[in-house]
């Protein structure tokens, strides 16, 4: 496990939620362009990577964990 402070973990969670916002915006587009599809994939991939980190998942609230798990399915 990486030695991160609670503040650092929360900073990573906040950054992940920037990706959540992008994902939600892009999923709302009826006919996304190839660029938008690629951007959606990159943001989901970022969330998948973060969800593989124990320290990250441990720092999430239950509702956040559920939300992120739904996004990366």
């Amino acid at each position: 496990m990486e030695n991160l402070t609670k503040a650092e973990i929360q900073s990573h969670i906040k950054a992940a939620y920037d990706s959540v916002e992008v994902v939600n915006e892009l999923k709302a587009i009826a006919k996304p362009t190839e660029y938008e599809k690629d951007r959606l994939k990159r943001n989901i991939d970022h969330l998948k990577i973060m969800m593989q980190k124990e320290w990250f998942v441990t720092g999430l609230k239950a509702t956040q964990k559920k939300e992120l798990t739904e996004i990366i399915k």
Side-chain angles (χ1 to χ4, degrees):
M1 180 171 158
E2 298 177 40
N3 292 325
L4 298 171
T5 66
K6 287 182 180 184
E8 290 170 325
I9 292 169
Q10 289 305 309
S11 177
H12 284 282
I13 291 170
K14 182 183 179 310
Y17 267 83
D18 290 342
S19 286
V20 169
E21 187 175 322
V22 170
V23 167
N24 290 335
E25 287 174 9
L26 292 172
K27 282 186 172 183
I29 297 172
K31 294 186 179 187
T33 64
E34 287 303 314
Y35 172 77
E36 290 165 334
K37 290 176 187 177
D38 182 58
R39 189 169 175 221
L40 175 63
K41 182 186 179 318
R42 284 183 282 129
N43 279 276
I44 290 173
D45 287 348
H46 171 248
L47 295 173
K48 286 179 181 178
I49 290 167
M50 295 310 292
M51 289 295 286
Q52 293 174 1
K53 299 176 186 293
E54 182 181 339
W55 57 263
F56 179 81
V57 174
T58 302
L60 294 172
K61 296 175 186 172
T63 55
Q64 292 173 316
K65 184 176 178 183
K66 181 179 177 183
E67 181 179 18
L68 293 177
T69 300
E70 287 296 316
I71 289 172
I72 65 173
K73 278 186 178 179

